[in-house]
Amino acid sequence: MAKQIGILTAGGDSPGLNAAMRGLGKAAIRTHGMTVIGFRDGFRGLMQNRFVRLQSAELSGILTTGGTVLGTSRDKPHKMDVGGKVMDMTDLMIENIKGHQLDSLVCLGGGGTAKNAMKLAEKGVPVMTLPKTIDNDLWGTDTTLGFDTAMGIATEAIDRLHSTAHSHHRIVVVEVMGHNTGWIALGAGLAGGGDVILIPEIPYDIDAIANTILERRAAGSTFSIVVISEGAMSRDDAALKEQARSLKKSEDPDEVAKGRESLDRFAERRQNHTATLACSLEKRTGLESRVTILGHVQRGGTPSPTDRLLATRLGTACADFIARGDSGAMVAIRDNECVPVPLREVAGRRKTVPLDHPWLLTARNLGVGLGD
Ligand code: F6P
């Protein structure tokens, strides 16, 4: 009997989601004769059984479009806000999956989605995931959908900031996304010729950054571009976070309370951290500083050719894996091959930038300041 599959997109949107659904849907229908439906707005739509049949017409004309035609949300099946109350709605979702007689539920998402899919798999749901996030922080895959596009947008911004920084002899601090990893900052920082690149994996010392800038000035460069990942932090902040975390794990309630206080202090210090950094650099170097925060612009618009190709390959491979009976896996790209990786290996693990990563070694060879 022909298989039926359901698709949903969850978590933050990302360029390439529509291209992936198109690849998956077209291969499922054309090559494998499957029926495809899409649930609206992530796991919320699955809970509410809001769906649309995806046929050739719905899958056409979306290769180049940004966002997700299905809509998305950050809802978790086991922690749903329902009328102001947080509830575990997993069983209702499973009923809906059974009602549609789905042979597979394909969830396109990042780390959170992998965890949620894993929980469904543990309850017997035949589930697959596709690795989507601009942050590139999913364990088990060489790269993720949306990362190349976001890196391209950030690189273009750095290119544009160069000419204005150069003209005004300023420091420009540009904050990029990346959650708790530095892939976008490092990739775009290198591609755009950033002078300092700050990533969460390397807590920074403000004096080291100021020195890099002062050395550049002494060598005749009167401007500097500092690319900072949104999750990057100073050594002091990193120590505060670590201390708070270990206190919170304590058996002693007083220690736990202290841990909570430290976390609140940490959160306060994190507010406007990029502006604070720019101010400190201005004071230390005497160079005027400006801040640019790229934000959600990095998630918008048309996917790059690399992301379209990746999305199409991952989507079509997913249809093939479902056809042969695979489930409980993320379709990853490894050494240029699409491979299923068990969700239990992926869920709950984050791919950070290894300190010996070739991009970091390249940055050091170039004399880029990494704040250490
Ligand atoms: O995970 C993708 C991402 O864009 C991160 O880089 C960023 O920290 C976060 O999502 C922003 O989330 P939201 O869209 O909910 O503000």
Side-chain angles (χ1 to χ4, degrees):
M1 238 184 58
K3 292 195 174 191
Q4 324 244 25
I5 65 171
I7 306 179
L8 61 82
T9 53
D13 70 340
S14 182
L17 276 173
N18 291 330
M21 286 190 272
R22 171 183 175 271
L24 168 59
K26 285 199 171 193
I29 296 165
R30 279 194 76 247
T31 310
H32 302 291
M34 298 174 185
T35 308
V36 186
I37 60 170
F39 293 98
R40 305 258 187 217
D41 304 330
F43 289 105
R44 184 155 295 268
L46 175 58
M47 175 185 78
Q48 296 168 335
N49 204 18
R50 284 188 291 120
F51 66 96
V52 57
R53 175 93 188 265
L54 297 176
Q55 301 184 85
S56 292
E58 287 76 23
L59 297 166
S60 283
I62 61 171
L63 173 65
T64 60
T65 57
T68 155
V69 288
L70 287 178
T72 186
S73 69
R74 290 202 183 273
D75 293 304
K76 300 180 177 112
H78 59 291
K79 271 189 193 166
M80 277 273 180
D81 186 330
V82 185
K85 265 177 87 183
V86 177
M87 293 166 73
D88 184 346
M89 301 306 286
T90 311
D91 289 345
L92 179 54
M93 291 185 202
I94 293 176
E95 255 177 55
N96 289 337
I97 291 167
K98 285 188 180 150
H100 287 289
Q101 298 181 324
L102 294 184
D103 296 288
S104 185
L105 174 72
V106 184
C107 306
L108 284 71
T113 305
K115 275 198 223 166
N116 293 329
M118 176 69 205
K119 282 189 200 295
L120 289 177
E122 282 167 353
K123 293 212 166 199
V125 176
V127 67
M128 296 290 280
T129 68
L130 293 187
K132 166 263 10 170
T133 166
I134 63 163
D135 303 332
N136 193 33
D137 61 351
L138 264 175
W139 194 91
T141 183
D142 291 347
T143 189
T144 57
L145 268 186
F147 172 58
D148 183 74
T149 308
M151 197 166 51
I153 295 167
T155 302
E156 195 199 328
I158 296 167
D159 290 348
R160 290 177 186 278
L161 291 167
H162 254 101
S163 57
T164 172
H166 178 260
S167 306
H168 284 267
H169 313 294
R170 281 174 174 159
I171 299 171
V172 171
V173 183
V174 49
E175 183 190 292
V176 300
M177 279 186 168
H179 201 217
N180 289 318
T181 63
W183 292 105
I184 299 177
L186 185 57
L190 275 177
D195 306 300
V196 175
I197 300 173
L198 304 173
I199 62 173
E201 292 83 351
I202 305 179
Y204 62 78
D205 171 9
I206 183 89
D207 291 318
I209 306 170
N211 279 343
T212 304
I213 294 170
L214 290 172
E215 276 167 19
R216 276 176 53 76
R217 192 171 59 176
S221 298
T222 57
F223 75 97
S224 283
I225 302 284
V226 178
V227 183
I228 180 168
S229 172
E230 62 180 345
M233 62 186 81
S234 66
R235 287 181 183 166
D236 288 349
D237 283 357
L240 184 63
K241 186 178 177 190
E242 196 41 53
Q243 184 202 33
R245 278 205 172 148
S246 65
L247 283 171
K248 275 195 76 186
K249 279 188 205 142
S250 164
E251 309 262 292
D252 177 351
D254 289 345
E255 299 273 279
V256 174
K258 270 192 217 156
R260 247 184 241 124
E261 268 171 37
S262 307
L263 267 187
D264 288 347
R265 232 176 328 127
F266 172 74
E268 226 171 83
R269 287 170 67 134
R270 294 299 294 159
Q271 277 175 10
N272 300 321
H273 67 99
T274 299
T276 310
L277 172 72
C279 268
S280 312
L281 290 176
E282 185 166 300
K283 280 195 197 122
R284 280 170 165 81
T285 62
L287 287 171
E288 206 176 20
S289 301
R290 291 289 186 271
V291 170
T292 296
I293 296 180
L294 291 187
H296 292 80
V297 117
Q298 293 158 101
R299 294 221 312 247
T302 189
S304 67
T306 298
D307 270 334
R308 292 180 204 179
L309 185 57
L310 176 65
T312 305
R313 288 189 63 197
L314 291 172
T316 51
C318 184
D320 292 346
F321 294 145
I322 293 170
R324 73 180 190 193
D326 283 10
S327 84
M330 173 182 83
V331 184
I333 186 95
R334 285 186 178 177
D335 297 329
N336 207 21
E337 293 285 330
C338 293
V339 289
V341 179
L343 274 173
R344 62 174 178 280
E345 283 178 27
V346 176
R349 292 172 83 175
R350 186 187 295 144
K351 183 181 71 184
T352 54
V353 179
L355 294 182
D356 60 353
H357 191 275
W359 290 3
L360 273 180
L361 303 181
T362 303
R364 289 196 192 280
N365 271 340
L366 282 175
V368 171
L370 295 169
D372 56 352

